Every structure is written in structure tokens, then in C-alpha cells.
Amino acid sequence: MRDDKLLTRISGLLRQAEGTDNEHEAQTFMQAAQRLATAASIDLAVARAHDPNARAATVPVSRQVRIGTAGKKGLRTYVLLFVAIAHANDLKVDVAGNSTYVIAYGFAGDIDSVEALYSSLVIQMVAASDGYLKSGAYRGETAARVVTQHGRWVSRRVVEHKPLSPITARLNFQTAFADRIGTRLTEARDQARAQATGAETGASGGSTAIALRDKEIEVVDFHRSESQARGSWRSSSASAGYSEAARRAGDHAGRRARIGNDREFGAPGGQLGS
């Protein structure tokens, strides 16, 4: 069911997004790539809903994607970025307890698209946060965290403000970057879906919406039956501080991020080098 010509078109849009210095052009190319990926998913869902042979031959799969090596700092924000992209592309995700890898559940074409998007965006996220730290803009800012003060008779929770450290600045920057990317891709997906379902008329009206819903249910059911995850994953540790300034900087970088094409669709990828 994979359309190599379509994957080539998406790859071309990703290269155009990466090659332009114009922020608006880059965003247009990125959104077009996301819409094509979404449209491919829609077409697949409709085919599966109306073609018994296609439905029998195309089923959800699981794939492990390596995020980084154990002990490497910042893996939680890399995972957060992957999860944000995955949710915009109809995947369910399990996360390893040490954040070194994720397991994606969904249709192969959707997982291919997510890996391609992640491979480019994680590099941009790290580069942008490095630039933020090197600029020194975080110096003079503070981070807030809730701590427990123990008195003789009672204990109370208070907000503690401390100078913003480089690691806290990086984590807040990358968290906001990932959140913004997730918002942008979700908006592009929703726009594509609205166009697809809005174009239906007559007796076929609503078939795409029904097919999409059936696909979503199938992925959820597949994840529920296959997943061996226990507990819940947290994107940040309890001791991590919160910095509004670093979040604003990360959000701004996420708005300006371009989609790169460091790997072709379907190729193994996603791990950031040391």
C-alpha cells in the first residue's frame, strides 16, 4: 500500500522547507508535507473501509525507535518531541523507563512519516537550544520550583526561585519547542482532515470521517492488545524548575523550525549522535 511517488513528493517538500531562509515559505512547505502525509493516511483509511482485500492486507504494526543511549542528558525532551509528532500522525507511543527508546504503534506509512519528521526536527531542536545557551540570554533569569519546607511542627510547600541554570534552561527551551511543533503539526492535520471530509457530498458524505474513526479505533485496540507498558511516563522530573523566559525562547524557535530531510522515509533513524 505504500506509494513511493507520494513519499518522493513529501521528501521534496521537506528539502524545500530546509533550503529556504524565508520563515513563511519554510512553514508553508512544512505544512504541505504534513498535509500530504495526512492525506495518504486518509486515502489508506478509505481504501481499507471499502476494499476487503486492502483491509485484510493492511494492519497496524509496532516499531521500536531508538532515542539515545542510557545516561545521556535530555532524553525526556527528545521523547516529548517524538510523542508530539506521533500524536499528530495518529500513532500511540510507549516510552522506555529511561527514555532511551520508544515503541510506536500504528500503520507503517504513518510511522515512516513520523520518523522522517522527527529525524529533522530533533536536530533543529538541539541546535536551537545550543544557540540559546551560547547567546547567554538565560543569564539573569530565574527558575521556579515547588519545594517542601519542613518546620518543627508542620511542613509546607512553597515556590522557590533560583538563578536559571544551563540544564534547566535547556530542558525548558526544548519542552516548549516540542509543544509548539506538536501544535503546528496538529493544526496542519486537522486542516487536511477538514478539507477531505468537507469535500464529500451526496451518498458518500461522511465516509472519510467514518473511515478515519475506524482507523483510530483499530490503532487504539492494537496498542491495547500489544502494549506491555506499565505505569505512566513523565516528560520532566519532579525536581525540574520552570522558566518562563526559556519557554518563550523555545516556543519561538518551534514556530520558526523547518522540516529537514536527513533520511529518506522508511529508513532507520531518530537517534541523535553523541
Side-chain angles (χ1 to χ4, degrees):
M1 295 299 291
R2 273 187 55 176
D3 187 337
D4 291 336
K5 291 183 178 180
L6 179 60
L7 295 181
T8 299
R9 288 179 61 194
I10 296 174
S11 297
L13 287 168
L14 297 178
R15 285 193 294 271
Q16 287 177 286
E18 187 177 44
T20 180
D21 293 326
N22 185 298
E23 176 182 344
H24 299 292
E25 286 185 358
Q27 183 169 347
T28 298
F29 287 134
M30 182 275 291
Q31 290 176 341
Q34 178 63 54
R35 284 195 295 270
L36 273 181
T38 303
S41 178
I42 289 172
D43 293 341
L44 180 60
V46 173
R48 293 175 64 253
H50 295 282
D51 184 346
N53 292 328
R55 186 175 183 84
T58 310
V59 295
V61 299
S62 63
R63 184 185 303 170
Q64 184 178 119
V65 180
R66 188 169 178 78
I67 299 299
T69 57
K72 183 177 179 63
K73 294 182 178 180
L75 291 183
R76 281 193 179 96
T77 52
Y78 300 169
V79 170
L80 183 62
L81 177 64
F82 187 96
V83 170
I85 299 170
H87 285 174
N89 285 274
D90 304 319
L91 302 185
K92 301 290 287 183
V93 181
D94 289 344
V95 182
N98 59 2
S99 299
T100 56
Y101 67 88
V102 299
I103 301 176
Y105 300 81
F107 291 92
D110 293 335
I111 300 176
D112 290 342
S113 297
V114 168
E115 285 202 84
L117 291 166
Y118 172 76
S119 293
S120 174
L121 286 165
V122 70
I123 293 172
Q124 294 187 59
M125 180 178 76
V126 173
S129 60
D130 284 347
Y132 172 65
L133 293 179
K134 289 178 181 177
S135 74
Y138 72 95
R139 297 191 181 98
E141 301 291 344
T142 60
R145 64 173 183 170
V146 177
V147 298
T148 301
Q149 290 184 343
H150 299 283
R152 183 174 181 180
W153 305 108
V154 296
S155 297
R156 60 174 183 167
R157 295 171 65 82
V158 298
V159 177
E160 179 183 74
H161 294 271
K162 287 189 173 182
L164 181 58
S165 67
I167 184 60
T168 301
R170 181 186 295 275
L171 292 176
N172 277 266
F173 183 102
Q174 292 183 353
T175 296
F177 182 101
D179 288 343
R180 177 52 58 184
I181 291 298
T183 298
R184 289 174 60 183
L185 295 182
T186 299
E187 289 173 350
R189 179 201 66 189
D190 292 346
Q191 181 181 356
R193 286 185 174 181
Q195 291 174 347
T197 56
E200 294 179 328
T201 58
S204 64
S207 63
T208 295
I210 293 172
L212 286 170
R213 179 57 180 166
D214 288 345
K215 173 190 170 186
E216 178 184 349
I217 292 173
E218 188 164 359
V219 171
V220 170
D221 288 344
F222 175 73
H223 174 254
R224 184 180 294 118
S225 65
E226 296 294 320
S227 174
Q228 298 181 8
R230 296 292 181 268
S232 58
W233 175 80
R234 299 181 62 179
S235 61
S236 61
S237 65
S239 60
Y242 178 90
S243 167
E244 184 65 33
R247 298 264 175 154
R248 284 197 305 268
D251 180 81
H252 182 66
R255 291 175 184 271
R256 299 178 59 189
R258 298 178 298 179
I259 297 295
N261 189 34
D262 298 278
R263 294 181 175 86
E264 292 299 324
F265 283 78
Q271 183 178 5
L272 190 68
S274 60

